[in-house]
Amino acid sequence: MAAEAKPQILSHVNNLNYFSILLLLLYFNVASGAGGTWRLLLNDVGISAMHSQLLINDRVIMYDRSNFGPSKISLPSGACRVSPNDVVSKRDCTAHSIEYDVAFNSIRPLTIESNTWCSSGGVTPEGALLQTGGDKEGERKARMFYPCDDESCDWTEVDNALYVRRWYATNHVLPDGRQIIIGGRNQFNFEFFPKTKAPSLYKLPFLSETYDAGQENNLYPFVFLNSDGNLFIYANNKAILLDYNKNTVVKTYPKIPGGDPRSYPSTGSAVLLPIKNLEAEVVEMEVLVCGGAPKGSYLLALYKNTFVKALDTCARIKINDDKPQWVLEKMPRSRVMGDMILLPNGHVLLINGGSSGSAGWELGREPVLNPDLYHPDKPVGSRFQVQNPSTIPRMYHSTAGLLRDGRVLVGGSNPHQFYNFTDVLFPTELRLEAFSPSYLESQYWSIRPRIISLLSHSTVNYGGILRLRFMVFGIGGVRSPVKVTMVFPSFTSHSFSMSQRLLVLDHVELVRIGVWTYEVRVKAPKSKNLAPPGYYMAFVVNQDIPSEGIWLRLQ
Ligand SMILES: *[C@@H]1O[C@H](CO)[C@@H](O)[C@H](O)[C@H]1NC(C)=O
């Protein structure tokens, strides 16, 4: 009898174990949910996502550099290219650009002929990616990528598209749909794509004034289109407002308190905070700059093997104030080479980077694995919320970007001159991850809006009324004001998302039209200065929980 009873006791113990494991799993699920969750999407995308751009077919174009040896993915249909400036081999049969399909979680290789290293870009009003510049034979080229629904599209390259070499420059999409290309190594000027007739190249003394000898600290400037049509340009530790049509500086902003640099290689990041009250006479525009590295960090890392603690502050400024002043805020930690991403509900995600050293090969240390969430509308001192960590360091040459489903796609990291996968600190990173902010958790199921009207890629006119029907399945789960936000898909490289902006549309009314169905009516922006023409992701936001977005074309 006793012998027979034993297995029963054992199986009972086993059941208990399974039960407690289940409980533990549940516990960890809930615990990790509070600060967002990470998921590994693909283990090897073949290249390191140094530059990335989401397009209107929900595919993300990524590329790195095309002259530093073979990647881990072959060119389409067995092609090879001659690459005279390649430092590893002059014949290269691998791809240095890919297309990532969000829905299928799959990739395909693309063909780039010339070097795109440390370049810039943005999307055109038609939804194509315009990429500009790079190094060596690629430094004056532009490359276009027109999205397609199958696998037929690839890059086309335009020779001599730029007046001068553009390496480490910043682009911004303009109200007329053109792009401005500002600065870059040894370029204290700007130009346009497509090229304008003479004068074609415009001097920008601000860029020579912000140049630190031997360490630059003014590359990849942070550029934002202001509501008055001028451009806010931040480099090193200060900023101007530029009328690019007349090439005059209309405003000079004070230095950030402390005076430390926050642009490349002292790489911090910056966003334009959500733009609201769009009908106001002067729309309030606020810029938030976070992180960076104290002056001299780059040189100390390069020559002395000393990795200085990064900056642990953000600075925020209302750029249309009569006497604009920077207000400093402390972050939960030091961060250099971090990315700043506007989330659909208007919160800002700080993600990626390290906490000491600087940008540049082998110069960053202490990866920051935790993102931090910033709530712009809370009082100073309670704006930051620490998020759950990844396990993958994302150092120099990593990227992050918002997807239409509300996740943040994270890729890249290669602080080396080559693809180096072993025997180095922070090996070249080919893994792609997604960070899901806590608003995607299933516990918000009953208040999450689901957009049911308007087909994706519908057109909205400037100043028009936008009617969005949505469902919320929890009875009484809709609490006014329901917001509608629009996010421009940004081009990301070197910790800066170019042309990134989010608009909170002015409310007209919210109507309940069924048990679970509502219609929200909002006004599309009136001005191209507030929102340049093109495709935006539109979201309905109920109590800070966003719907999945839809693509809308503003024209
Ligand atoms: C990095 O890769 C290059 C090119 O393949 C190689 O020559 C170099 O030895 C590698 N460096 C290390 C530290 O492995």
Side-chain angles (χ1 to χ4, degrees):
M1 287 290 277
E4 261 174 32
K6 250 184 190 165
Q8 266 178 20
I9 290 164
L10 273 177
S11 80
H12 185 65
V13 169
N14 276 342
N15 281 343
L16 257 181
N17 275 341
Y18 286 134
F19 186 61
S20 49
I21 287 167
L22 192 70
L23 271 183
L24 262 174
L25 282 176
L26 280 173
Y27 172 78
F28 277 118
N29 263 333
V30 171
S32 63
T37 48
W38 285 90
R39 206 181 125 209
L40 180 65
L41 297 175
L42 289 173
N43 212 33
D44 179 358
V45 298
I47 65 156
S48 196
M50 190 189 294
H51 313 78
S52 76
Q53 172 73 61
L54 171 69
L55 294 182
I56 57 174
N57 54 358
D58 294 317
R59 300 186 196 172
V60 182
I61 305 301
M62 301 170 181
Y63 61 89
D64 50 19
R65 193 186 152 184
S66 39
N67 70 339
F68 67 147
S71 72
K72 295 270 190 198
I73 184 168
S74 297
L75 277 168
S77 43
C80 293
R81 67 188 178 93
V82 179
S83 183
N85 290 321
D86 199 306
V87 280
V88 179
S89 82
K90 307 294 174 201
R91 192 178 134 87
D92 187 359
C93 305
T94 66
H96 298 278
S97 177
I98 58 158
E99 182 187 63
Y100 171 69
D101 187 318
V102 177
F104 290 97
N105 193 37
S106 62
I107 54 161
R108 72 178 175 103
L110 301 173
T111 315
I112 277 182
E113 297 286 348
S114 59
N115 198 358
T116 46
W117 184 25
C118 298
S119 59
S120 48
V123 283
T124 68
E126 296 72 40
L129 168 57
L130 164 69
Q131 181 281 354
T132 49
D135 189 27
K136 298 275 165 60
E137 80 286 351
E139 66 192 22
R140 288 183 56 213
K141 290 199 188 207
R143 301 164 190 83
M144 299 294 300
F145 186 93
Y146 293 91
C148 57
D149 287 332
D150 52 19
E151 304 207 331
S152 61
C153 43
D154 208 331
W155 289 98
T156 52
E157 308 206 5
V158 189
D159 292 336
N160 303 321
L162 306 176
Y163 275 102
V164 294
R165 141 183 229 226
R166 295 290 171 190
W167 201 30
Y168 298 83
T170 296
N171 290 23
H172 202 290
V173 176
L174 296 175
D176 62 6
R178 286 183 302 162
Q179 285 181 40
I180 189 169
I181 306 143
I182 302 176
R185 258 201 171 131
N186 300 316
Q187 298 298 347
F188 308 116
N189 54 46
F190 62 89
E191 64 178 291
F192 299 91
F193 184 94
K195 271 182 186 170
T196 48
K197 294 206 182 79
S200 41
L201 193 64
Y202 303 81
K203 281 201 174 121
L204 190 55
F206 172 69
L207 289 178
S208 33
E209 287 156 19
T210 49
Y211 177 88
D212 285 339
Q215 48 193 312
E216 299 172 303
N217 284 334
N218 67 345
L219 298 180
Y220 279 117
F222 307 140
V223 180
F224 300 108
L225 174 64
N226 192 15
S227 51
D228 61 5
N230 295 316
L231 290 173
F232 176 89
I233 305 177
Y234 177 99
N236 197 326
N237 55 15
K238 53 186 181 182
I240 55 166
L241 193 61
L242 177 76
D243 178 339
Y244 60 85
N245 287 308
K246 296 190 188 130
N247 195 12
T248 51
V249 174
V250 294
K251 206 181 236 181
T252 302
Y253 296 91
K255 261 189 191 167
I256 283 192
D260 283 313
R262 294 171 189 261
S263 12
Y264 181 93
S266 284
T267 305
S269 191
V271 285
L272 190 60
L273 290 175
I275 311 167
K276 300 181 261 201
N277 301 320
L278 308 182
E279 305 269 287
E281 201 180 320
V282 179
V283 177
E284 187 170 280
M285 304 288 274
E286 269 190 284
V287 170
L288 180 70
V289 179
C290 292
K295 192 165 175 172
S297 298
Y298 172 77
L299 297 175
L300 283 167
L302 188 63
Y303 297 118
K304 299 264 167 17
N305 230 26
T306 300
F307 304 94
V308 179
K309 205 77 189 157
L311 300 177
D312 65 351
T313 53
C314 295
R316 182 165 160 171
I317 194 166
K318 294 179 178 171
I319 67 175
N320 287 331
D321 274 5
D322 287 337
K323 289 208 170 77
Q325 292 298 326
W326 293 101
V327 178
L328 277 194
E329 292 177 56
K330 212 158 154 49
M331 296 197 283
R333 70 193 85 250
S334 303
R335 200 187 284 266
V336 60
M337 296 178 282
D339 280 274
M340 292 172 75
I341 304 298
L342 291 164
L343 298 178
N345 60 3
H347 299 163
V348 183
L349 188 71
L350 283 74
I351 193 166
N352 295 351
S355 62
S356 64
S358 93
W361 290 330
E362 320 294 341
L363 303 184
R365 291 293 183 276
E366 301 182 88
V368 175
L369 298 173
N370 292 85
D372 295 306
L373 199 56
Y374 179 86
H375 301 260
D377 296 332
K378 286 195 175 170
V380 179
S382 54
R383 286 179 177 155
F384 282 100
Q385 195 185 356
V386 177
Q387 302 292 288
N388 290 314
S390 171
T391 55
I392 304 175
R394 300 290 182 177
M395 305 297 279
Y396 188 42
H397 288 152
S398 58
T399 50
L402 178 69
L403 298 176
R404 192 173 54 82
D405 59 22
R407 291 179 299 164
V408 173
L409 184 68
V410 175
S413 187
N414 184 18
H416 316 291
Q417 189 180 352
F418 303 99
Y419 291 107
N420 289 107
F421 302 107
T422 49
D423 304 322
V424 285
L425 199 55
F426 315 126
T428 305
E429 193 49 72
L430 306 180
R431 284 176 287 182
L432 216 54
E433 287 170 292
F435 176 72
S436 293
S438 63
Y439 56 58
L440 289 170
E441 278 172 46
S442 55
Q443 60 166 302
Y444 299 116
W445 182 86
S446 63
I447 56 170
R448 173 166 301 120
R450 288 163 175 83
I451 299 176
I452 54 167
S453 64
L454 278 188
L455 295 173
S456 206
H457 300 86
S458 297
T459 295
V460 196
N461 295 322
Y462 281 97
I465 300 287
L466 177 62
R467 295 158 176 263
L468 277 172
R469 284 199 180 181
F470 64 94
M471 295 182 90
V472 168
F473 293 116
I475 307 278
V478 173
R479 220 176 289 152
S480 212
V482 165
K483 289 194 285 188
V484 175
T485 59
M486 279 174 53
V487 182
F488 195 81
S490 48
F491 176 94
T492 304
S493 191
H494 289 76
S495 306
F496 184 57
S497 289
M498 304 175 193
S499 304
Q500 182 174 218
R501 68 207 287 116
L502 180 148
L503 295 104
V504 183
L505 300 188
D506 286 340
H507 209 270
V508 180
E509 59 180 331
L510 175 71
V511 190
R512 188 169 188 172
I513 54 175
V515 185
W516 291 302
T517 314
Y518 300 79
E519 185 174 286
V520 63
R521 294 170 197 162
V522 289
K523 259 192 167 166
K526 267 204 295 210
S527 154
K528 292 182 176 177
N529 296 338
L530 288 173
Y535 287 89
Y536 287 74
M537 291 178 272
F539 302 87
V540 173
V541 183
N542 176 32
Q543 299 172 59
D544 278 346
I545 305 299
S547 66
E548 183 166 289
I550 55 167
W551 287 106
L552 286 184
R553 184 173 188 177
L554 182 64
Q555 68 175 33

